[in-house]
Amino acid sequence: HAPPRTERMTVDQDWSSVYPTAAAFKPASVPLPIRMGYPVKRGVPPPKEGNLELIKIPNFLHLTPPAIKKHCAALKDFCTEWPSALDSDEKCERHFPIEIETVDYVSAGTSIRNPKARVVTLRVKLSHLNLDDHAKKKLIKLVGERYCKDTDMLTITMDRCPLRRQNYDYGIHLLTVLYHESWKTEMWESEKTEEDMEEYIWENSCSQKNALDTLLRIKASENVSNVTKEELLASEVVKNYRNSVIALKNEGETEGNMSQYKESVKKLLNIQALP
Amino acid sequence: DLMGVRLAGSHVDTQEPKTNPLVSISDEPETLYKRLSLLVKGHDKAVLDSYEYFAVLAAKELGISVEKVHKPPKKIERLTLLKSVHIYKKHRVQYEMRTHYMCLELKYLTSSTAAVYLEYVQRNLPEGVAMEVKKTKIEKIPEHIQEPVWDTLPQVEETEVKS
């Protein structure tokens, strides 16, 4: 029988011509002394001739580093450069605020289709959209759970259409509709009660009424001439009190907030520090 | 011997780069991909390691910045079946399927570069290995969202909506 080809191979041959594409392992074409398999008792793993384990496993003999470099050199002509002006994430976000995420699936099987491939996720930061105060609050209420307050990111996931392009178009349509609806002011929005408010507003609240009541009564008992509500509101102590109450309600109870509230109440009611 | 003789006017050609006849340039603007995340799943860790070396080298040669390469922990799915065809409930056999993962994250690709890289890498995907590619495309805000349309519509009398 003829000797294997390995005996005629030189050390500096062109390996990419021996294995140009993915092929099974041919022991007569690979000049390496490989052994693979479970060794017999007190023996070594079986040699490469007639070794099924070596044929079964996928080999990367066609993708040696010089071969990869040759392929990439040929493919480099088809690539384009990333614009050098967008070298950081913030610049990308400033100029291109909308992010669209799509997933592709590659696998071997009876069919190449994967039903999960039609899902499209749209992410946008609300600070980049042209919204005023009322429009932003209405949009957040409309959108509900899809808005994350910490990162100011609106995330919409679309998978109700059968094709990816339809889902993408539907997503853009949703964004447009949300944007325009949030700018509209309906008639029933004027019936917004205190429970619907997102943040605490001091004007026209019980806290303001109580404070003004108390101050008026103090002034009346001291028999000072009738001070008007506007003068009281404009005074320093009332403003301090207002700021501390707003801070408490909106940011929660922290050490700094509580001490600020204590100081402002003391100044409002003119109590000296307790011993 | 005229084989090696250079003609007088031929030095003009050496200054212009040779354009590849297969490359065609189209006018439409490129879509930009902020991040391309490749998740490769396989049953054999050695195959995935070799594939990772190949994918990282290909990305470096094509000039794509690799953000990070990490290997999520493997997942083992085990099932316990009856050993015999009929009766013998007490004798079972257990099988397990191990899935190893390898995640490659690339940053800042244009659509042509991404298409070239993905096609190259997917054509050389070994047998028995699956891949999921997550593309994050960045876009400008479309023109119809720049200004609310109510401002530009002509003043129309409020007609009765209820019919």
Side-chain angles (χ1 to χ4, degrees):
Chain A
H1 213 77
R5 197 174 136 192
T6 52
E7 288 173 20
R8 275 175 293 140
M9 281 183 178
T10 55
V11 176
D12 52 356
Q13 69 171 336
D14 181 25
W15 183 252
S16 47
S17 50
V18 182
Y19 267 87
T21 46
F25 180 85
K26 292 170 207 118
S29 302
V30 177
L32 301 165
I34 313 180
R35 290 180 172 269
M36 183 148 151
Y38 194 77
V40 279
K41 257 219 187 116
R42 306 184 62 205
V44 288
K48 64 178 181 178
E49 283 83 24
N51 195 330
L52 195 63
E53 296 292 315
L54 279 168
I55 305 178
K56 283 194 300 197
I57 198 81
N59 65 53
F60 282 77
L61 291 165
H62 57 291
L63 291 173
T64 54
I68 300 176
K69 291 193 176 116
K70 265 196 238 173
H71 296 156
C72 290
L75 289 172
K76 189 85 180 159
D77 292 332
F78 297 92
C79 298
T80 47
E81 289 256 328
W82 178 260
S84 47
L86 292 171
D87 46 356
S88 77
D89 274 342
E90 293 89 31
K91 283 194 204 158
C92 285
E93 221 181 276
R94 216 183 330 137
H95 297 284
F96 297 92
I98 300 192
E99 284 180 8
I100 302 185
E101 256 187 40
T102 43
V103 193
D104 290 321
Y105 297 88
V106 179
S107 67
T110 40
S111 107
I112 54 169
R113 314 286 169 194
N114 191 319
K116 290 195 277 191
R118 59 172 214 269
V119 175
V120 175
T121 307
L122 196 124
R123 278 204 310 256
V124 86
K125 278 212 174 163
L126 288 187
S127 44
H128 296 289
L129 291 174
N130 184 9
L131 291 168
D132 72 346
D133 199 35
H134 158 261
K136 188 167 174 178
K137 290 192 185 153
K138 184 163 175 189
L139 188 79
I140 297 176
K141 272 210 203 290
L142 278 173
V143 132
E145 265 195 6
R146 298 173 186 86
Y147 176 72
C148 170
K149 240 199 297 200
D150 302 320
T151 58
D152 188 31
M153 194 80 101
L154 170 67
T155 312
I156 328 179
T157 310
M158 279 84 64
D159 71 335
R160 51 163 80 173
C161 307
L163 292 183
R164 188 188 287 165
R165 199 188 301 189
Q166 293 172 348
N167 276 320
Y168 168 70
D169 290 335
Y170 176 63
I172 300 286
H173 163 77
L174 251 191
L175 191 64
T176 319
V177 162
L178 279 171
Y179 179 76
H180 290 297
E181 284 297 314
S182 61
W183 272 97
K184 264 205 271 190
T185 313
E186 304 281 338
M187 289 189 309
W188 42 262
E189 280 185 40
S190 52
E191 294 161 21
K192 193 173 177 186
T193 60
E194 230 185 89
E195 288 98 23
D196 296 326
M197 301 283 185
E198 291 88 5
E199 48 183 23
Y200 186 72
I201 309 176
W202 196 68
E203 284 74 28
N204 289 339
S205 74
C206 326
S207 174
Q208 185 197 32
K209 283 189 219 136
N210 290 343
L212 287 174
D213 257 345
T214 325
L215 280 177
L216 280 173
R217 274 192 236 160
I218 296 177
K219 302 280 185 223
S221 69
E222 290 171 7
N223 287 333
V224 179
S225 57
N226 258 343
V227 201
T228 51
K229 270 197 182 168
E230 285 75 17
E231 281 180 26
L232 281 176
L233 276 173
S235 60
E236 265 297 317
V237 285
V238 176
K239 277 202 182 140
N240 257 345
Y241 180 68
R242 169 185 177 271
N243 289 341
S244 55
V245 168
I246 289 179
L248 262 183
K249 292 264 182 176
N250 284 343
E251 291 157 30
E253 296 183 7
T254 61
E255 283 287 337
N257 281 349
M258 292 301 277
S259 53
Q260 201 185 354
Y261 181 69
K262 185 172 91 174
E263 298 301 314
S264 59
V265 167
K266 279 201 278 192
K267 279 195 207 128
L268 193 72
L269 303 175
N270 264 335
I271 348 171
Q272 307 314 311
L274 300 166
Chain B
D1 188 73
L2 293 168
M3 296 274 281
V5 171
R6 287 195 170 218
L7 300 168
S10 64
H11 66 274
V12 180
D13 285 323
T14 50
Q15 278 165 3
E16 284 173 13
K18 264 195 268 182
T19 42
N20 196 334
L22 295 165
V23 177
S24 58
I25 307 177
S26 68
D27 285 329
E28 53 179 75
E30 299 244 6
T31 58
L32 303 166
Y33 291 108
K34 186 164 150 191
R35 189 184 283 136
L36 204 73
S37 175
L38 266 73
L39 178 72
V40 193
K41 310 196 275 196
H43 289 302
D44 200 332
K45 194 157 176 292
V47 170
L48 284 185
D49 287 339
S50 304
Y51 190 73
E52 170 206 342
Y53 179 82
F54 154 68
V56 165
L57 186 60
K60 263 200 283 221
E61 290 292 314
L62 288 174
I64 303 170
S65 58
V66 176
E67 201 180 330
K68 61 173 170 166
V69 178
H70 73 289
K71 304 198 185 189
K74 64 178 188 270
K75 294 207 180 120
I76 310 183
E77 198 185 313
R78 295 196 171 102
L79 9 121
T80 314
L81 306 169
L82 296 173
K83 202 186 236 186
S84 159
V85 158
H86 183 57
I87 51 170
Y88 302 120
K89 188 71 175 252
K90 286 193 213 160
H91 302 90
R92 315 255 184 142
V93 75
Q94 288 183 318
Y95 295 106
E96 67 177 24
M97 285 181 283
R98 295 187 178 186
T99 313
H100 300 267
Y101 298 93
M102 195 266 291
C103 184
L104 194 67
E105 300 206 13
L106 310 165
K107 253 170 92 134
Y108 299 149
L109 293 147
T110 53
S111 65
S112 6
T113 315
V116 162
Y117 181 73
L118 282 176
E119 172 148 10
Y120 182 48
V121 138
Q122 282 168 4
R123 275 201 193 265
N124 292 320
L125 204 65
E127 310 74 41
V129 166
M131 191 202 281
E132 279 170 24
V133 178
K134 209 186 253 194
K135 300 182 190 159
T136 310
K137 188 166 79 161
I138 50 178
E139 273 189 0
K140 290 197 188 272
I141 301 190
E143 298 127 12
H144 42 269
I145 306 191
Q146 300 286 358
E147 290 287 332
V149 107
W150 315 123
D151 296 339
T152 50
L153 279 181
Q155 290 291 333
V156 182
E157 285 293 319
E158 283 258 330
T159 49
E160 281 297 314
V161 175
K162 294 180 205 149
S163 54

